[in-house]
């Protein structure tokens, strides 16, 4: 019997960029310009994205609300 592991809800900036098919640099530019999916910075350096909010942003919804 094999266990099915759900994909992590949280993605690093690098993982989110790969998921979106772009580069981490371009994702950083979008953050700076106030565009792109909602992001979180719980510590001084690491930036995270929620997979569901990325999907919502892709579908045209504004995940920032």
């Amino acid at each position: 019997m094999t266990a099915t592991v759900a994909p992590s809800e949280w993605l690093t900036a690098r993982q989110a960029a790969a998921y979106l098919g772009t580069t981490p640099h371009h994702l950083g530019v979008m953050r700076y310009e106030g565009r792109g999916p909602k992001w979180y910075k719980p510590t001084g350096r690491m930036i995270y994205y929620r997979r569901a909010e990325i999907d919502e942003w892709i579908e045209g919804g504004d995940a920032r609300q």
Side-chain angles (χ1 to χ4, degrees), residues 27-47:
L27 202 54
V29 170
M30 290 193 316
R31 279 193 310 272
Y32 178 78
E33 294 175 346
R35 302 182 298 121
K38 185 174 180 178
W39 52 277
Y40 300 86
K41 191 173 181 182
T43 63
R45 298 189 69 175
M46 293 298 295
I47 294 173

Side-chain angles (χ1 to χ4, degrees), residues 1-61:
M1 178 177 192
T2 4
T4 304
V5 178
S8 175
E9 177 185 1
W10 293 96
L11 302 175
T12 64
R14 181 174 290 179
Q15 291 169 326
Y19 185 68
L20 289 167
T22 189
T23 64
H25 175 75
H26 185 253
L27 202 54
V29 170
M30 290 193 316
R31 279 193 310 272
Y32 178 78
E33 294 175 346
R35 302 182 298 121
K38 185 174 180 178
W39 52 277
Y40 300 86
K41 191 173 181 182
T43 63
R45 298 189 69 175
M46 293 298 295
I47 294 173
Y48 295 96
Y49 295 84
R50 279 194 169 136
R51 186 182 304 269
E53 290 175 338
I54 293 173
D55 292 337
E56 185 178 325
W57 178 75
I58 290 169
E59 293 171 6

